[in-house]
Amino acid sequence: MLFVVTSVGIGLLGFVNDSERVTIGAHAATVSPTFDGHVTLDLGAVLPRLRIPAHSPAGIGVSVDVQETDADNLTELLTRDTLIAAQPDGEIARIRQVIQQMAVDNAVAGAGSGLLVVVVVATIWTALGKQRRRELWHLVHRHERRFQHRLVVVLVALLITIVSIFGPGRMRPAEVPPTEWRPLFKLLPQLSFDDRLKTVEVASGFSATGGVGVISTLVDTYRRSTELYGRLKDRVADVAPEIHQPGKQETVALLVSDRHDNIGIDGFAAEVAKTGGAKVLIDAGDDTSSGQTWEAFSINSLKQHFRNLKVVAVAGNHDAGGHVEDTMRKSGFTVLDSKPVEVEGIRFFGDSDPTKTGLGSADMPGDETIQHQSERLADIACDQPEDKRISTMVVHDPSSYADTAERGCATLLVSGHLHRQVGPEHKVVDGRAVTTYTNGTTGGAAYAFALGYTLRKPGEVTLITYQKGLPVGLQTVTAQPSGDVTVGAYTPLPS
């Protein structure tokens, strides 16, 4: 009983007072648990506070104190936040993970404290001995009334101390009235709202009243984004009869590349993967536009949408800096690093792009040139024994697989980078079939930035069918800026 009471008390007290600084969307933020049953976003002095129901057990809620960002101006910041909020599943999962980790950490700390208290009490109990415990018992009973009075005084003093430390605000009246919350749809009755947006509430006050115009623009951006990408996702069911279905001995992977922060397309891509029976996601890089820490939301979205698939990934030239690869690894992705690995019976090989390119900036050399990487990877691939021949080589820039393809040391070599489809192109090298293929931009990126409520170019994903670990067919599925979905013909690959 002593262990349970101590563990629960200390663990709960630690959890209630815990917080963690994380990256949420385009911001640094401090996340703290609450028990009001809501997720509350404090957006600072200019914009109103927002909240939505948390739908979590025991009424656990979350307070998110949104802080600094690297956006250059308020318009850019608000647009970016709104587009991320239109596809919030990745960030919701991230916050849930943070709160769950807090609960686990404090439960462990509480259990440790409880165990320590039990050990101390047991040690003292044993050290006193039976005779001394009996003497103390008689002493307590002999002065029972005086002991009870002293115990009451000690308990009252302890209670006052606890209240003074943890609840000073409760001992005096509040200086401001409690927050009043208004449904967002009542603040903007002229706009249409989806079911998720109808649950959003806004804190009453100057920020909400003075920022109605700003909020109206953001809601319209949110609506346009959810409508387009929702329509694309729904259209996959209409074209499902055109999508090749795997046989009993076949495994399917979905290839994406050059998303460039466009998490809106992820719902469509995930629906294609589900319809095509994919078990693996192949990510050929450029998930972000500049490789900054705030762009972790792009990887969070991939992790959430493809949580039932195994992910094999490389980073592109716009993912340079190490942050993207670190986030991928923490998300459980298999990040290729010049060593062959087997996933779902498929032997993969590849590496991230060595070039560093920021948003709107020129390429900067990395640890090696593309040409050097191509030669180095070819040496490794060609050194593999024939029974462990590379099934699929994944790089970002097609130039990185040029030497491997020329020497015939991999069956299928895939890439992105060009923002347009190239191939599949087939050839035979020393009696072995080799296919090269470059996927078009999945995010519909015209340049290096694709986050938006529309597609700048068609967004392409490719289904790759394998049999006994070897690629046997390709099929593209493309999201059009108009909201239509087109399916390419299934292309068998030479054996």
Side-chain angles (χ1 to χ4, degrees):
M1 178 61 72
L2 178 62
F3 171 77
V4 172
V5 171
T6 305
S7 299
V8 172
I10 293 178
L12 187 60
L13 186 62
F15 178 68
V16 170
N17 290 278
D18 203 355
S19 65
E20 184 164 342
R21 187 173 167 84
V22 297
T23 299
I24 301 294
H27 298 265
T30 299
V31 175
S32 307
T34 66
F35 286 91
D36 62 0
H38 287 85
V39 178
T40 304
L41 280 76
D42 189 341
L43 302 172
V46 177
L47 295 175
R49 293 166 64 207
L50 304 173
R51 75 175 189 179
I52 57 175
H55 301 300
S56 56
I60 295 177
V62 184
S63 173
V64 182
D65 182 9
V66 179
Q67 298 167 3
E68 68 268 18
T69 179
D70 68 344
D72 294 329
N73 56 71
L74 182 60
T75 301
E76 176 190 340
L77 170 63
L78 296 179
T79 301
R80 185 192 293 175
D81 286 344
T82 302
L83 292 168
I84 294 172
Q87 300 290 333
D89 294 338
E91 298 310 281
I92 290 173
R94 171 63 177 148
I95 293 174
R96 185 182 296 116
Q97 180 185 34
V98 170
I99 296 298
Q100 289 173 347
Q101 190 60 51
M102 285 184 190
V104 170
D105 291 346
N106 284 286
V108 171
S113 300
L115 181 61
L116 179 62
V117 169
V118 169
V119 170
V120 170
V121 171
T123 301
I124 294 175
W125 178 267
T126 304
L128 287 174
K130 186 175 181 180
Q131 180 64 31
R132 184 56 178 162
R133 291 199 300 268
R134 185 181 297 112
E135 292 174 357
L136 290 173
W137 177 258
H138 289 306
L139 180 64
V140 168
H141 277 274
R142 187 183 310 157
H143 304 285
E144 186 171 356
R145 184 176 298 275
R146 188 189 311 169
F147 177 78
Q148 288 175 346
H149 289 167
R150 291 178 179 175
L151 181 60
V152 169
V153 171
V154 170
L155 289 176
V156 170
L158 181 61
L159 180 61
I160 292 174
T161 301
I162 293 174
V163 170
S164 65
I165 295 175
F166 297 107
R170 300 181 184 276
M171 301 179 67
R172 60 179 182 269
E175 295 181 0
V176 294
T179 302
E180 294 184 9
W181 296 92
R182 297 173 59 190
L184 184 59
F185 68 86
K186 289 187 177 180
L187 184 67
L188 301 168
Q190 73 276 16
L191 298 180
S192 59
F193 291 79
D194 62 16
D195 292 339
R196 174 176 274 163
L197 213 55
K198 285 180 179 178
T199 64
V200 176
E201 295 179 310
V202 184
S204 301
F206 172 80
S207 293
T209 304
V212 167
V214 175
I215 297 173
S216 177
T217 301
L218 300 181
V219 170
D220 184 59
T221 301
Y222 171 95
R223 179 184 58 79
R224 294 170 69 179
S225 176
T226 53
E227 283 181 357
L228 172 63
Y229 294 114
R231 185 163 64 250
L232 288 169
K233 181 179 178 181
D234 293 341
R235 280 282 292 143
V236 174
D238 298 334
V239 300
E242 303 174 47
I243 296 177
H244 176 78
Q245 296 300 307
K248 291 183 179 179
Q249 302 297 321
E250 294 180 332
T251 301
V252 176
L254 182 77
L255 171 64
V256 301
S257 67
D258 302 276
R259 291 166 58 249
H260 287 295
D261 289 325
N262 186 4
I263 60 175
I265 201 68
D266 291 345
F268 158 78
E271 193 66 21
V272 173
K274 179 180 177 181
T275 303
K279 293 184 178 180
V280 179
L281 176 70
I282 302 174
D283 179 3
D286 270 6
D287 290 297
T288 70
S289 295
S290 56
Q292 300 299 309
T293 54
W294 69 268
E295 291 173 289
F297 74 87
S298 185
I299 307 304
N300 293 342
S301 180
L302 272 188
K303 176 184 177 182
Q304 180 64 15
H305 280 92
F306 297 95
R307 58 189 177 278
N308 296 323
L309 275 65
K310 295 180 180 178
V311 182
V312 177
V314 296
N317 57 303
H318 283 277
D319 300 324
H323 303 302
V324 173
E325 288 177 289
D326 288 345
T327 305
M328 285 178 171
R329 291 189 177 93
K330 290 177 182 177
S331 298
F333 297 1
T334 298
V335 181
L336 300 178
D337 58 354
S338 303
K339 301 181 185 68
V341 296
E342 189 169 302
V343 178
E344 288 290 328
I346 304 165
R347 192 163 175 79
F348 287 99
F349 174 68
D351 204 348
S352 295
D353 199 285
T355 308
K356 301 177 181 179
T357 309
L359 181 58
S361 63
D363 291 347
M364 293 189 302
D367 295 333
E368 61 182 348
T369 65
I370 290 289
Q371 179 59 40
H372 181 268
Q373 183 183 63
S374 177
E375 295 170 357
R376 179 177 60 80
L377 293 178
D379 289 342
I380 298 173
C382 296
D383 195 42
Q384 303 300 307
E386 190 61 32
D387 62 341
K388 291 186 178 297
R389 173 175 162 81
I390 301 301
S391 168
T392 302
M393 182 173 181
V394 185
V395 292
H396 179 64
D397 189 329
S399 297
S400 294
Y401 65 49
D403 286 270
T404 304
E406 186 67 26
R407 295 164 63 178
C409 298
T411 303
L412 174 65
L413 305 96
V414 300
S415 65
H417 188 60
L418 302 182
H419 290 201
R420 57 185 174 86
Q421 180 186 335
V422 178
E425 297 176 349
H426 314 292
K427 60 182 178 181
V428 177
V429 180
D430 295 333
R432 297 179 295 187
V434 175
T435 299
T436 58
Y437 177 74
T438 297
N439 188 72
T441 167
T442 300
Y447 297 101
F449 193 72
L451 180 63
Y453 56 76
T454 187
L455 292 169
R456 295 164 176 81
K457 291 179 64 175
E460 183 178 271
V461 299
T462 303
L463 292 162
I464 306 175
T465 303
Y466 293 85
Q467 189 173 59
K468 296 182 179 180
L470 295 176
V472 295
L474 297 176
Q475 186 176 35
T476 61
V477 183
T478 305
Q480 302 294 340
S482 62
D484 292 327
V485 174
T486 56
V487 181
Y490 177 78
T491 304
L493 300 182
S495 60

